[in-house]
Amino acid sequence: MGTILVTGALGQIGSELVRELRSQVGSDGVVASDVRGPVELESGIFVQLDVLDRDALDGVVREHNVDTIYHLAAILSAAAERAPDLAWKVNMDGSLNVLQVAKERGVSKVFIPSSIAAFGPSTPLDDTPQDTIQRPNAIYGITKVAMELMGDYYFEKFGVDCRGVRFPGLISYRTPPGGGTTDYAIDMFVAALRGQPYTCYLSPTTSLDMMYMPDALKAAIGLMAADSKQLKHRNSFNVSAFALTPERLAEAIRVHVPSFHCEYKSEKVRQGIADSWPNNMDDTAAREEWGWKPDYDLNMMVVDMLEKLPAFLDRFPSHD
Ligand code: NAD
Ligand code: SER
């Protein structure tokens, strides 16, 4: 039996997905990789791998008999606006290397996540349909739309079974987020637990689709397990959990940490990106085609974050 390769495995999603996959298939069944490293993991294989190095990627796929790839290496939205050339290279060339190697080596399935960023200011922002206008105006979203199209292209032309979901902003406690526009949500928990005030870079009423990490892992693994014949869509499915504004999250945190104080000073680039993204996506297609359903609502997420984050707090940078 082949192994599962995770690229970008030290990131916010990868660090959790590797643990979850290993709990399901065993430590040796999952090869974690990242351009950063080398790192010593508690168990299992880690390979330092730059997805821009196609020969190295090909070598890892051959050496470890890789059968499935979760491709998570990417530059996220805010970081991408600061370094658009790098973002284009990593998000496009890196992803195309993954598809190309998958095609040449007969890898059975590839997961390439898309994002709420694949939509833009001309998209309907409420109940954003599965199939709608996609004209993002930030480099990250442009790469996400292009890779959605390339994922479908590789499936239709070459039979590479590439699948993806459009993740909302993800909230989690184990690993700091990697430079996105939705990171404020995690920053708020960190500040609240440290007893510090927080200045949010988005306006208090900016609404964005959000999701707790356990649901994001459930979505990725659930879609990869879905019967191919049931899928009418492939790259990529809307998946949604709850719409959130900064002021609503601050209130929900204050229920448990009454002293938490939040101020708002909207910052041009990230506010502009956030204003162009959906308030909430319609995920009917995912529910109908592969049985998607989230487990966590806002309040369940807040309670779990406040319980689990303290053990990992020293990993998170300070924002004062
Ligand atoms: P992250 O920034 O936390 O992690 C990305 C990882 O990729 C990092 O560990 C980084 O070192 C690695 N990386 C960067 N360049 C690389 C390269 N050239 N070769 C190999 N590794 C490289 O990102 P994440 O939040 O874990 O996101 C993973 C995927 O999910 C991305 O495609 C992202 O666009 C998508 N996504 C994330 C969110 C979210 O809220 N976290 C939401 C929507 C979509
Ligand atoms: N959370 C991600 C970001 O803000 C969305 O793709 O970049």
Side-chain angles (χ1 to χ4, degrees), residues 218-240:
K218 181 182 172 182
I221 295 169
L223 174 59
M224 290 293 268
D227 180 353
S228 183
K229 292 198 258 346
Q230 303 299 321
L231 300 181
K232 297 191 192 80
H233 298 84
R234 206 161 279 267
N235 298 280
S236 295
F237 284 92
N238 287 359
V239 287
S240 186

Side-chain angles (χ1 to χ4, degrees), residues 49-176:
L49 174 67
D50 183 345
V51 292
L52 294 175
D53 184 342
R54 190 190 296 183
D55 290 341
L57 175 64
D58 185 62
V60 170
V61 167
R62 274 188 294 122
E63 185 186 339
H64 295 279
N65 187 26
V66 170
D67 188 50
T68 301
I69 302 176
Y70 286 84
H71 173 50
L72 304 180
I75 308 295
L76 273 76
S77 60
E81 283 307 297
R82 289 193 295 272
D85 293 351
L86 176 69
W88 181 263
K89 265 178 104 59
V90 174
N91 297 3
M92 292 303 303
D93 297 352
S95 303
L96 290 172
N97 282 344
V98 168
L99 287 175
Q100 190 63 23
V101 168
K103 174 189 158 203
E104 286 166 4
R105 298 292 166 198
V107 171
S108 316
K109 279 186 204 161
V110 179
F111 178 82
I112 303 184
S114 187
S115 161
I116 44 172
F119 300 110
S122 50
T123 303
L125 297 185
D126 288 312
D127 292 325
T128 305
Q130 170 67 40
D131 302 305
T132 185
I133 303 161
Q134 291 185 265
R135 304 274 305 171
N137 57 3
I139 190 69
Y140 174 68
I142 293 168
T143 65
K144 287 297 175 190
V145 176
M147 280 316 303
E148 288 191 5
L149 296 171
M150 290 306 286
D152 279 352
Y153 180 81
Y154 266 70
F155 176 65
E156 280 152 25
K157 295 277 177 194
F158 309 121
V160 175
D161 189 350
C162 181
R163 307 175 181 192
V165 296
R166 295 177 183 136
F167 281 130
L170 299 181
I171 300 172
S172 65
Y173 55 81
R174 192 174 292 277
T175 304

Side-chain angles (χ1 to χ4, degrees), residues 122-287:
S122 50
T123 303
L125 297 185
D126 288 312
D127 292 325
T128 305
Q130 170 67 40
D131 302 305
T132 185
I133 303 161
Q134 291 185 265
R135 304 274 305 171
N137 57 3
I139 190 69
Y140 174 68
I142 293 168
T143 65
K144 287 297 175 190
V145 176
M147 280 316 303
E148 288 191 5
L149 296 171
M150 290 306 286
D152 279 352
Y153 180 81
Y154 266 70
F155 176 65
E156 280 152 25
K157 295 277 177 194
F158 309 121
V160 175
D161 189 350
C162 181
R163 307 175 181 192
V165 296
R166 295 177 183 136
F167 281 130
L170 299 181
I171 300 172
S172 65
Y173 55 81
R174 192 174 292 277
T175 304
T181 300
T182 57
D183 297 3
Y184 83 82
I186 299 171
D187 298 345
M188 268 195 197
F189 282 100
V190 172
L193 285 167
R194 285 185 176 145
Q196 295 171 343
Y198 178 65
T199 304
C200 183
Y201 52 79
L202 297 182
S203 75
T205 54
T206 306
S207 183
L208 286 167
D209 225 332
M210 296 274 191
M211 180 179 285
Y212 196 34
M213 185 60 80
D215 279 331
L217 304 182
K218 181 182 172 182
I221 295 169
L223 174 59
M224 290 293 268
D227 180 353
S228 183
K229 292 198 258 346
Q230 303 299 321
L231 300 181
K232 297 191 192 80
H233 298 84
R234 206 161 279 267
N235 298 280
S236 295
F237 284 92
N238 287 359
V239 287
S240 186
F242 46 84
L244 194 58
T245 63
E247 68 183 0
R248 193 156 171 239
L249 179 59
E251 269 167 35
I253 292 174
R254 264 196 295 273
V255 169
H256 307 275
V257 187
S259 61
F260 176 53
H261 179 69
C262 189
E263 288 179 1
Y264 301 89
K265 192 171 167 206
S266 98
E267 182 257 306
K268 194 169 168 219
V269 173
R270 284 179 286 186
Q271 186 68 55
I273 292 174
D275 287 343
S276 75
W277 289 357
N279 302 329
N280 62 293
M281 291 181 282
D282 177 352
D283 58 5
T284 307
R287 288 172 186 261

Side-chain angles (χ1 to χ4, degrees), residues 11-63:
Q12 189 194 357
I13 303 177
S15 57
E16 308 241 16
L17 182 67
V18 166
R19 292 172 68 88
E20 181 59 30
L21 289 171
R22 285 186 172 154
S23 77
Q24 295 187 10
V25 304
S27 284
D28 293 342
V30 182
V31 179
S33 73
D34 202 288
V35 71
R36 291 183 280 155
V39 292
E40 293 288 330
L41 298 183
E42 288 155 30
S43 64
I45 308 158
F46 177 83
V47 181
Q48 193 168 5
L49 174 67
D50 183 345
V51 292
L52 294 175
D53 184 342
R54 190 190 296 183
D55 290 341
L57 175 64
D58 185 62
V60 170
V61 167
R62 274 188 294 122
E63 185 186 339

